[in-house]
Amino acid sequence: MVSGQLFHFRKHSWPPDEYVTRATLQLLDFDGGAPPEQAWRRRLNSHANLLKEFSVTFMEAIRMIRLGVRLWSYVREEASHGRKAPIDPFTREKCRPSASHGVPLGGMGSGSISRGFRGEFKHWQIIPNSCEASPLMTNQFSIFINRDGGQKKFSSVLSPGHHEGLGKSQEDDISSWGWNLSGQHSTYHALFPRAWTVYDGEPDPELKISCRQISPFIPHNYRESSLPTSVFVYTLVNTGKERAKVSLLLTWANSIGGVSHLSGNHSNEPFRGEDGVAGVLLHHKTAKDNPPVTFAIAACETQNVSVTVLPSFGLSKENCITARDMWATMVENGHFDQDNFSAGHSMPSSPGDTLCAAVSASTWVEPHGKCTVAFALAWASPKVKFKKGCTYNRRYTKFYGTSKNSAAALAHHALMSYKWWEEEIEKWQKPILSDERLPEWYKFTLFNELYFLVAGGTLWTDGESPSSDDNPPEEKPSSGSKHNRKSAKTSISSKSSKRGVPAELTPAAAAGVDPEAAEESVDSDLMNSWSFARPTAEGDDVGRFLYLEGTEYVMWCTYDVHFYASFALLDLFPKIELSIQRDFARAVLCEDRRRVKFLADGNSGMRKVRGAVPHDLGMHDPWHEMNAYNIHDTSRWKDLNPKFVLQVYRDFAATGDDTFGREVWPAVTAAMDYMDQFDRDGDGLIENDGFPDQTYDAWTVHGVSAYCGCLWLAALQAAVAMALRLGDHPFADKCRSKLLMAKPSFEEKVWNGSYFNYDSGSYGNSRSIQADQLAGQWYTAAAGLPPLFDEAKIRSTLQKIFDFNVMKVGGGRMGAVNGMTPSGKVDESCMQSREIWTGVTYGVAATMLHAGMHHQAFSTAEGIFTAGWSEEGFGYWFQTPEAWTVDGHYRSLIYMRPLAIWGMQWALTPSRAILEAPKTNMMDRIYTSPADLRAKNEASVRKIGGSRSTCCGHSVFHCEC
């Protein structure tokens, strides 16, 4: 843990009074209107520059040409079936990425909408696996101010300037609105899950305005954090000598962007609810047979605030009420007719028309007076449907049902609850924000990187079986397959060895399985009962959670990346983290014998091999069809199984949940036993196979590697510790014996006196300095286990990484480059060796913190802030990519791995369970008599095995543990 005054980094690097005058901050300092001292800031007139996308070099392109051809063919094939490929480097977004993002809206797992720092609503992810990046510029807040009996009037959209194409539109569309805000005196302040926009005298010099955006992201609250809603609270301060009538306006298009934007058959209806909540419901009929979506825009009427609505208007002359008419009414009156509340359902929109709605909230602000006006946005999308799978209910429906009209109830709840939300958010954030030992940039970057848990394509179901009226489509056999549809189902063996996986089952053996044996398949009902096994611990049923690797790499819960990101979930939503681990534990013990073509080498193999940890939980049919990733055969990857064991043990140790430990233990032992096939010389150490068989899937490895070897040593140690905790002493001894052999062999083969070589081969990059070489040691420390190596080796390695991979790249202001040659040049043997991976940099910094190297840790991580988040950086805020190059070209925006910054926080404040856990020297043998050993073994069978139905949840396979 961190103690004392350790950090000497700059303080107050983002002083708020450099963005907003101190006088304005004091005026707004009531009812939460003033932004916090620690926040990410940007002026609204800041230029949102276009981002520079990554490209491969000529030689890299030559080396990958065969992969490129196969990938192109695969993308085309998936498109012919109406599906998106999980990796598609050929299709470009219509809206080019720019440095314009801000805090996203809503809770987790019910779809998300991002909001740029200049106020535009964009990046729509309501439909799974679909992201519409372009903003809908109709969706705006606007203000209308009337002073001195109408002698002074101000009206403006509260978003600066014109946007591309605005002036080219028809005269009756939104180009007729008052786009008068310059943004010079307006600023954005972000501290996820809240954001503040302060208008310091714009558009009225005598009116100070703060818009506070609040979403229900509340750690350890598994109800509120699932709700698809946000609140916008306007604080108004009148510094003038006259009363001011102020009308705030929220306009919204009946659209989620994309194909259904102009498809027609959308409708709106006004509503009045309890407690003065009133607004409009916008019913949207989606395209491609996706479930419908209903939006609610609402405001809260109080004694001082009057709410009116315009249920529908359009953007062309063909509409009865146009955008121009709507704006003119607000300029003239500052409100709409009260009779509009009785308008009922609008006529369905015609194809080609954009149907919009508006809610106005009006109030009088006395001279030197203050007032608060609150709006809510909610959306009801109760069902989620996958292309090849079933339909599920989202988590929030457990509390609000599946009615489309629940959007109104959600908006009401948000307006009644946002003050409580803020209290809970502040209680969570205050200890970190007030910690004087921490650099200021770290505090707000730590919270703001959590944007991904909302905007990263998260999906949270109620945990129930899929809807019975939605059957998966008939699946055609793959080309050359001899299996019928029945045998194409995911196969789960009814027989298993003591550890839950046949010792003889290797990828090679599995590939040659007898076709008749494939008929031993579980039918669909049994598969559902397996896949949707409920947690055995009471109170742990938090549904099932998925999140994408990234918005460009569209795979659910990519496990090798979750290894880095999972610290955020473990710290803030541990029950979700355990739920994900249960999903993977069940997956380890099943197999899917359908054939898949792997694009890197063109060979075919099983989709999922028993005993191997899957790369991901799928894409178009998650949980049922895993391993959407098909570049390499990940059953031969060397990092997935050790990462599973390490994550399970860390979570087990951190939560102290023995029930969870017993549930997943058969999968842990199976995952460890599966790796025996990769120890080809019997020294207890696994070897890589001369291809990129790891998370660095373009970086070839030969022999023993620093990265996978270190992970394997750590997994052996974690397996020993977990086995001892659960009473499985024979398995503990087995793993300890391997560890006793493997550790000296590892050091002999890759330790060179100052760091661990990239691998034990004799290739040009074998002696490269890999930034991530101590990933296993990171997890060892994070789980409270003894270090893998002596302190001198650990510190020497980390110092080498700091001196070379960090400080020799951009003067330490870019993060840690993945590979660096001993001569001090970037390793350019492949595209990934020359990249800086943001999440890996955070992981390296966390490892340094565990080793007591605090200066190096924060200097390393600050490079990601400087390059990605600061004003002089590349503009990657709220869309942190997987990687960038030394010249600032990004690869894969909005990526999971940067959540690893919470690994740093875990190092600073480890859980009590880990701090208080007894320390065990894994290298010591336990000497017991044969009788004692038999007694312990029998006890462990009773304790771990119990009945067959409880060894791994309510699974349908049979374990003889």
Side-chain angles (χ1 to χ4, degrees):
M1 292 184 65
V2 176
S3 60
Q5 297 294 327
L6 294 173
F7 313 130
H8 52 272
F9 294 83
R10 65 175 186 265
K11 297 290 183 180
H12 307 298
S13 52
W14 294 56
D17 54 3
E18 287 188 9
Y19 292 79
V20 186
T21 65
R22 191 176 298 274
T24 298
L25 288 171
Q26 291 173 346
L27 288 170
L28 293 172
D29 191 19
F30 80 100
D31 195 30
E37 289 187 9
Q38 291 106 347
W40 179 88
R41 312 188 198 280
R42 197 60 87 245
R43 296 190 190 279
L44 264 63
N45 66 343
S46 298
H47 178 62
N49 57 293
L50 293 175
L51 305 181
K52 298 181 293 184
E53 191 170 5
F54 175 90
S55 61
V56 297
T57 66
F58 176 76
M59 290 305 299
E60 288 167 350
I62 293 296
R63 288 195 293 266
M64 293 191 294
I65 191 167
R66 292 180 180 174
L67 168 61
V69 170
R70 296 187 191 106
L71 183 56
W72 167 254
S73 177
Y74 173 69
V75 169
R76 293 288 300 274
E77 180 184 357
E78 287 295 285
S80 71
H81 294 291
R83 299 190 296 262
K84 183 178 180 179
I87 301 175
D88 179 6
F90 309 107
T91 305
R92 291 289 178 265
E93 292 285 350
K94 296 177 182 177
C95 178
R96 292 186 63 189
S98 64
S100 60
H101 280 238
V103 174
L105 306 172
M108 299 189 297
S110 294
S112 70
I113 306 166
S114 291
R115 190 169 185 237
F117 72 87
R118 295 179 298 184
E120 68 273 26
F121 295 87
K122 58 197 294 182
H123 232 261
W124 305 78
Q125 294 190 90
I126 308 295
I127 306 299
N129 298 341
S130 174
C131 180
E132 297 294 338
S134 299
L136 293 175
M137 294 303 292
T138 309
N139 299 353
Q140 295 290 342
F141 282 102
S142 303
I143 194 166
F144 304 84
I145 306 159
N146 192 327
R147 292 180 183 271
D148 195 18
Q151 297 302 309
K152 293 181 181 178
K153 283 190 172 184
F154 304 89
S155 60
S156 179
V157 178
L158 290 175
S159 183
H162 287 59
H163 64 92
E164 184 180 355
L166 186 63
K168 302 176 184 178
S169 302
Q170 302 174 39
E171 62 178 358
D172 290 306
D173 75 356
I174 62 174
S175 62
S176 62
W177 296 357
W179 298 85
N180 306 316
L181 199 77
S182 72
Q184 182 178 357
H185 301 292
S186 301
T187 54
Y188 181 83
H189 311 255
L191 189 65
F192 180 89
R194 297 188 292 171
W196 293 253
T197 306
V198 176
Y199 306 89
D200 194 356
E202 290 189 274
D204 180 350
E206 296 180 327
L207 187 68
K208 310 297 184 184
I209 309 166
S210 169
C211 173
R212 188 162 88 260
Q213 171 188 316
I214 311 152
S215 292
F217 184 97
I218 304 170
H220 306 285
N221 188 320
Y222 297 87
R223 173 182 171 132
E224 299 296 304
S225 299
S226 72
L227 303 183
T229 184
S230 288
V231 176
F232 304 88
V233 183
Y234 279 85
T235 302
L236 309 171
V237 180
N238 184 4
T239 63
K241 297 179 181 180
E242 311 112 345
R243 293 177 76 201
K245 182 184 179 182
V246 180
S247 297
L248 288 158
L249 177 73
L250 172 58
T251 50
W252 201 259
N254 192 325
S255 175
I256 59 171
V259 178
S260 65
H261 177 61
L262 299 174
S263 60
N265 286 321
H266 314 309
S267 63
N268 298 347
E269 64 172 319
F271 72 90
R272 277 189 184 275
E274 298 177 347
D275 304 307
V277 175
V280 182
L281 291 172
L282 298 89
H283 305 293
H284 185 77
K285 182 178 174 60
T286 58
K288 299 181 179 179
D289 199 31
N290 284 309
V293 180
T294 294
F295 291 99
I297 55 173
C300 191
E301 196 165 59
T302 66
Q303 184 176 358
N304 301 317
V305 178
S306 174
V307 176
T308 58
V309 301
L310 183 62
S312 61
F313 68 90
L315 301 183
S316 64
K317 291 181 179 179
E318 285 73 23
N319 297 100
C320 294
I321 302 175
T322 66
R324 178 186 290 273
D325 298 332
M326 184 278 301
W327 189 266
T329 298
M330 287 300 299
V331 171
E332 180 67 23
N333 302 323
H335 59 83
F336 303 113
D337 290 338
Q338 287 288 342
D339 292 344
N340 289 343
F341 281 109
S342 59
H345 259 284
S346 69
M347 293 291 292
S349 62
S350 301
D353 282 348
T354 301
L355 184 64
C356 308
V359 174
S360 169
S362 304
T363 187
W364 285 94
V365 188
E366 299 297 327
H368 307 292
K370 302 176 180 180
C371 186
T372 298
V373 179
F375 290 84
L377 168 67
W379 54 96
S381 179
K383 294 186 180 296
V384 56
K385 185 175 183 180
F386 292 102
K387 289 289 185 183
K388 294 169 67 176
C390 303
T391 299
Y392 305 91
N393 291 331
R394 297 189 193 259
R395 164 78 174 170
Y396 82 89
T397 62
K398 290 182 74 74
F399 319 113
Y400 284 89
T402 58
S403 168
K404 62 184 180 181
N405 293 327
S406 63
L410 285 160
H412 175 272
H413 176 74
L415 288 167
M416 297 299 106
S417 305
Y418 75 84
K419 291 185 178 180
W420 169 61
W421 291 350
E422 288 197 289
E423 290 174 1
E424 294 299 303
I425 291 167
E426 287 170 359
K427 279 194 289 187
W428 158 45
Q429 293 183 338
K430 185 177 180 180
I432 294 173
L433 295 177
S434 59
D435 192 338
E436 291 297 326
R437 303 164 301 168
L438 301 175
E440 191 173 33
W441 64 264
Y442 169 79
K443 296 176 185 179
F444 56 75
T445 306
L446 177 73
F447 291 115
N448 285 332
E449 288 284 16
L450 290 171
Y451 85 93
F452 187 85
L453 290 177
V454 173
T458 55
L459 174 64
W460 196 353
T461 77
D462 61 2
E464 302 295 336
S465 298
S467 301
S468 58
D469 57 344
D470 291 290
N471 296 318
E474 189 79 11
E475 210 37 47
K476 294 182 180 180
S478 302
S479 176
S481 173
K482 296 181 181 179
H483 302 289
N484 58 19
R485 186 173 186 271
K486 179 182 176 184
S487 63
K489 290 283 186 182
T490 300
S491 303
I492 303 176
S493 174
S494 60
K495 297 180 180 180
S496 56
S497 69
K498 180 178 180 181
R499 296 300 169 191
V501 57
E504 71 277 10
L505 183 60
T506 66
V513 70
D514 187 283
E516 293 183 3
E519 294 296 330
E520 297 179 12
S521 303
V522 178
D523 64 28
S524 58
D525 291 337
L526 196 54
M527 182 62 193
N528 283 339
S529 70
W530 167 80
S531 186
F532 284 83
R534 306 295 291 274
T536 57
E538 185 177 356
D540 283 350
D541 181 18
V542 294
R544 308 189 85 180
F545 190 85
L546 297 169
Y547 66 144
L548 293 177
E549 179 178 339
T551 56
E552 294 180 35
Y553 299 157
V554 192
M555 294 162 280
W556 296 111
C557 293
T558 299
Y559 201 73
D560 55 310
V561 185
H562 180 67
F563 174 81
Y564 298 82
S566 59
F567 284 92
L569 287 173
L570 177 60
D571 203 345
L572 306 177
F573 297 95
K575 291 182 180 180
I576 290 178
E577 167 63 10
L578 295 188
S579 173
I580 292 174
Q581 299 297 5
R582 286 185 174 102
D583 282 340
F584 277 92
R586 288 188 285 266
V588 167
L589 293 163
C590 81
E591 66 183 18
D592 185 341
R593 295 174 180 175
R594 286 172 290 185
R595 308 293 290 179
V596 173
K597 182 178 181 179
F598 301 113
L599 304 179
D601 57 16
N603 295 325
S604 296
M606 287 176 61
R607 176 176 288 277
K608 167 65 179 70
V609 175
R610 184 184 292 110
V613 174
H615 172 273
D616 55 79
L617 291 178
M619 178 181 177
H620 297 303
D621 191 7
W623 299 299
H624 294 283
E625 185 181 89
M626 294 167 283
N627 283 333
Y629 177 91
N630 61 347
I631 304 296
H632 298 288
D633 180 358
T634 58
S635 69
R636 297 176 58 201
W637 276 18
K638 308 308 183 293
D639 62 337
L640 287 169
N641 282 37
K643 284 177 175 176
F644 170 72
V645 175
L646 287 170
Q647 288 184 73
V648 164
Y649 179 74
R650 178 205 58 188
D651 298 349
F652 172 60
T655 61
D657 189 335
D658 286 344
T659 300
F660 165 75
R662 289 192 295 271
E663 262 191 288
V664 301
W665 180 241
V668 170
T669 57
M672 292 298 292
D673 286 345
Y674 181 84
M675 298 301 289
D676 285 346
Q677 61 186 299
F678 302 120
D679 176 14
R680 296 182 175 87
D681 56 5
D683 64 350
L685 196 60
I686 61 172
E687 287 87 34
N688 293 84
D689 281 331
F691 75 101
D693 49 356
Q694 54 178 343
T695 192
Y696 299 90
D697 58 352
W699 199 356
T700 299
V701 202
H702 300 88
V704 174
S705 71
Y707 182 69
C708 296
C710 187
L711 287 171
W712 175 240
L713 294 180
L716 286 169
Q717 183 164 253
V720 172
M722 192 167 180
L724 293 175
R725 290 271 298 266
L726 293 175
D728 192 345
H729 294 277
F731 196 76
D733 285 344
K734 176 181 176 180
C735 291
R736 184 186 290 108
S737 297
K738 291 181 183 178
L739 182 60
L740 286 167
M741 291 190 297
K743 183 177 178 296
S745 178
F746 178 78
E747 294 191 20
E748 177 186 351
K749 291 178 179 179
V750 294
W751 176 251
N752 64 20
S754 60
Y755 65 93
F756 296 95
N757 291 334
Y758 177 68
D759 64 32
S760 62
S762 56
Y763 295 82
N765 67 336
S766 290
R767 285 183 56 83
S768 286
I769 307 161
Q770 184 181 13
D772 211 7
Q773 60 185 277
L774 287 182
Q777 172 56 33
W778 171 26
Y779 257 72
T780 294
L785 293 168
L788 293 175
F789 316 105
D790 61 66
E791 183 181 352
K793 284 188 173 69
I794 295 171
R795 292 180 68 91
S796 171
T797 300
L798 292 172
Q799 189 63 47
K800 191 75 172 185
I801 293 168
F802 181 73
D803 292 340
F804 279 67
N805 301 61
V806 177
M807 297 307 297
K808 290 185 181 294
V809 179
R813 296 172 62 81
M814 297 192 71
V817 70
N818 282 338
M820 181 69 76
T821 66
S823 64
K825 295 182 179 180
V826 173
D827 180 346
E828 297 192 353
S829 57
C830 73
M831 56 179 277
Q832 290 177 342
S833 63
R834 62 184 173 91
E835 289 180 326
I836 294 159
W837 284 13
T838 52
V840 166
T841 299
Y842 286 139
V844 171
T847 312
M848 291 172 173
L849 287 176
H850 283 296
M853 301 170 66
H854 302 100
H855 171 78
Q856 294 91 330
F858 281 96
S859 295
T860 297
E862 189 173 11
I864 302 302
F865 162 76
T866 301
W869 288 85
S870 71
E871 285 189 278
E872 62 264 31
F874 302 127
Y876 297 135
W877 46 82
F878 300 103
Q879 52 184 332
T880 314
E882 156 77 316
W884 55 64
T885 57
V886 293
D887 56 356
H889 287 70
Y890 74 87
R891 182 171 62 80
S892 188
L893 293 171
I894 310 182
Y895 196 78
M896 181 197 291
R897 206 181 317 247
L899 284 170
I901 192 172
W902 281 85
M904 295 179 65
Q905 191 60 24
W906 187 264
L908 294 167
T909 55
S911 72
R912 172 182 285 185
I914 284 179
L915 287 174
E916 296 178 353
K919 305 302 178 187
T920 305
N921 187 344
M922 302 303 161
M923 304 304 287
D924 291 339
R925 288 185 175 273
I926 298 176
Y927 293 94
T928 57
S929 68
D932 289 340
L933 188 58
R934 282 195 300 271
K936 289 178 181 178
N937 189 34
E938 291 171 0
S940 70
V941 170
R942 288 194 298 270
K943 183 176 181 181
I944 300 171
S947 65
R948 286 183 174 183
S949 62
T950 60
C951 68
C952 195
H954 300 287
S955 53
V956 300
F957 52 77
H958 303 302
C959 276
E960 300 169 4
C961 52

